Amino acid sequence: MSEEGAPPVRGGRRPATDAEARALASAVRLRILRLCLSEALTNREVAARLGRNPATVLHHVRTLVDTGFLEAQPVRRGARGSREVPYRATGKSWLMDRGDRPPPPRDPLLAAFLEEVAAVGERRLESGRLGLRLSPEHLAEFRSRLDALLDEYARRPADPDGERWSVYVGMHPEG
């Protein structure tokens, strides 16, 4: 299976609908989106990569298709001639803003990140940590510049010869 590269993100940020917010409130669904970003995968392939039951994964895939985060690609024939539907992430999840919704009890972004790191191993994780003391204005500037940098890279066409990477950024006030 060839790596086609992720589709560039198009459009502006907007508040997520209730259905979109619910769809993105699952670490499993976020991992499915990441897997299907660079290549179209069937439900069976996604389930195998996640080590999960295909029926459970199909429920998540359908939710993501219904909310526009995944889209079905042309049907293909499997090894035994069966009909397979591959799915590809649309990049729409990058454009969603939680708005005024309260955060979920467990952050699905953090949970997905931790599961992905566990899958590749901590030795492959490149990380850094920085303590800052910022005025409200400088904190707003920092967040704005960081968001702009991530948005710039999310909107670039994928390099077909490039290596796949995931980036997770977390910030918290010190207690």
Side-chain angles (χ1 to χ4, degrees):
M1 185 173 317
S2 68
E3 296 255 340
E4 302 143 3
V9 174
R10 298 191 195 320
R13 284 198 176 279
R14 66 170 176 79
T17 66
D18 287 340
E20 290 166 338
R22 282 191 305 274
L24 295 177
S26 162
V28 172
R29 291 187 195 126
L30 294 175
R31 292 194 64 206
I32 291 169
L33 291 176
R34 182 60 39 99
L35 288 172
C36 295
L37 183 62
S38 297
E39 63 183 311
L41 298 172
T42 66
N43 182 66
R44 181 181 49 80
E45 292 168 330
V46 170
R49 291 188 188 191
L50 293 176
R52 300 199 182 238
N53 180 303
T56 301
V57 170
L58 183 58
H59 163 75
H60 293 296
V61 165
R62 286 181 176 157
T63 298
L64 291 167
V65 169
D66 290 346
T67 51
F69 294 113
L70 279 182
E71 61 185 16
Q73 301 298 295
V75 174
R76 62 185 186 207
R77 292 287 168 204
R80 297 183 183 155
S82 62
R83 180 181 177 270
E84 294 182 337
V85 179
Y87 298 92
R88 187 78 188 271
T90 62
K92 174 183 167 181
S93 61
W94 178 252
L95 303 174
M96 298 295 100
D97 185 339
R98 187 170 61 221
D100 294 337
R101 289 179 182 82
R106 181 161 186 224
D107 184 347
L109 294 173
L110 177 59
F113 169 75
L114 293 173
E115 289 176 20
E116 290 166 351
V117 168
V120 299
E122 285 185 38
R123 290 181 170 256
R124 304 243 3 243
L125 174 65
E126 293 182 20
S127 59
R129 194 159 178 250
L130 176 65
L132 301 170
R133 187 176 187 113
L134 301 171
S135 67
E137 295 80 21
H138 287 149
L139 178 59
E141 176 193 5
F142 179 80
R143 285 181 170 152
S144 176
R145 290 175 63 187
L146 186 58
D147 287 347
L149 179 65
L150 294 173
D151 193 60
E152 174 190 337
Y153 277 84
R155 292 174 186 280
R156 282 186 182 187
D159 181 349
D161 299 324
E163 186 178 351
R164 291 169 43 174
W165 285 88
S166 289
V167 175
Y168 173 84
V169 177
M171 291 177 52
H172 63 85
E174 291 185 11

